[in-house]
Amino acid sequence: MKLPKKLKLAAIFTGAIILTTSLLSVPAVAQYTEAPVAEDKVEAIAVPAGAIGYNLNVIEQIPGKQQCYAEKGSNPTIIDPLWTKFDFTGSCNRSTDSNGYSVRLDGQDTSLDYRLDVITKGDQLQLIATNNQDGADLVVGQTNGKPAPGEYVKINLNPGWKFTKKAYQGKTLGHYFLSGDSTAIAAAGDAPENVPGATGSSKFNDIARDIYKTDIENAVALGFIAGFKDQTFRPTESLTREQLVSMAFGSLETIDGLDLKASVVPTQPYPDVDSGRWSANKIQWAKENDIVKGYPDGSFKPGNPVTRAELVAVLQNLAKYANTLQGKKPELATNQEPIKFSDTANHWGAASISTMSAYCGVASPYKEIGDSFKPDAPAERNYAAAATLRTHDCLTKKAQENNQTNTNSQK
């Protein structure tokens, strides 16, 4: 069908405006970040939508204001949509479509790559993020039961998913992110269909020239850290505090003979770590066993990036803890000369860095060259994998030596 000349010109002119706007907007888009939200005040709700099934609504309760919804029961949790019975302006924030919410994966805005749908799957509803290019589905959440016709029902986010909000230049906006962390989801042990891109494959397309390539592949083979579905490892991305805790726990799980159990979390481990958070039980475990400490203000800040000094201090605590589980003294037996780094002398982590440099070379120079450690630089995924693997191997080797010594003494 041919378009009238006026419509053709209008279309061309509109396209030019869109193209120009897009080009001008690139720097601004790159500055969008995410901000935390009070997750106990935000709900993902499946709303009946007649013949099409269900729509996703995101509802946020504004503290101290009129109640926006009420919950009843469990498996599934039925929602009484109180916001439909009064003017909820000023009491509730509500987003009903892709203008108000989108998917964010691994710190990247993927709103153009995924669409969100609520579907019926067996005897429950699932919140699915579908890739617009290859059609692959990610299971973001589920209702754990099927509501009666016409009922509103709560969608429980799966481990590794959380709500955040879009932010720009330090200002929090109204748009919600369903924010997923691939490493966290994989560490939570979900089925593959629930993991947004995590894979155990060692054939990554972005580590061929990485100095930690072999360490990364060995760490992935052990299973305490994973890559992504697009066959990348993203070696230079920073590790967060909760990811470090999960990785530390996972590395010990691979050592035979350790009686390792994640802690039950009856309440919040820290004020900013909800008991339902994917990492809560492991954070509680780390707290109980002095693996990772919180901040002086009582918070844990699970999403904060880990520095290289913090990584090494945690691995030292981890190794000491593993020694006690093996019935040994917690002190670490070093096996090489400590490295004299040029930039750690007056740093709070100097002692740990020195000790761990002599403990199977866990602490090593930045990028493995020179004599600087850069203790306050972010701990990137490649070095974090290598350092954790070295700690694991040091523990395993010593355990094997001890077992052999015990065997020989019994002969």
Side-chain angles (χ1 to χ4, degrees), residues 85-137:
K85 303 171 184 177
F86 69 97
D87 181 2
F88 61 77
T89 305
S91 294
C92 320
N93 294 322
R94 177 173 175 243
S95 295
T96 61
D97 56 32
S98 59
N99 289 320
Y101 51 69
S102 60
V103 175
R104 185 179 177 91
L105 288 176
D106 301 315
Q108 301 296 317
D109 185 351
T110 54
S111 56
L112 298 179
D113 301 318
Y114 289 89
R115 71 174 187 273
L116 287 161
D117 296 295
V118 178
I119 66 168
T120 300
K121 186 70 175 288
D123 59 354
Q124 67 174 340
L125 306 181
Q126 288 186 339
L127 176 59
I128 300 294
T130 302
N131 190 296
N132 293 324
Q133 295 183 353
D134 60 17
D137 288 337

Side-chain angles (χ1 to χ4, degrees), residues 1 58 87 161 191 213 224 254 258 261 278 342 351 368 395 399:
M1 182 179 72
V58 175
D87 181 2
W161 293 91
K213 177 178 182 294
F224 64 77
T254 66
L258 292 187
K261 295 179 181 178
W278 72 268
S342 61
E368 304 298 319
L395 287 167

Side-chain angles (χ1 to χ4, degrees), residues 345-376:
N346 298 315
H347 194 272
W348 66 264
S352 291
I353 294 168
S354 178
T355 297
M356 295 305 283
S357 72
Y359 185 73
C360 293
V362 172
S364 56
Y366 185 72
K367 302 297 184 184
E368 304 298 319
I369 57 175
D371 61 359
S372 64
F373 183 75
K374 295 190 182 297
D376 295 321

Side-chain angles (χ1 to χ4, degrees), residues 319-346:
K320 289 181 176 180
Y321 172 71
N323 278 349
T324 62
L325 290 183
Q326 294 172 359
K328 300 185 295 184
K329 293 181 179 180
E331 288 74 19
L332 303 185
T334 58
N335 52 13
Q336 62 188 58
E337 288 296 316
I339 299 173
K340 295 182 179 179
F341 294 107
S342 61
D343 56 354
T344 61
N346 298 315

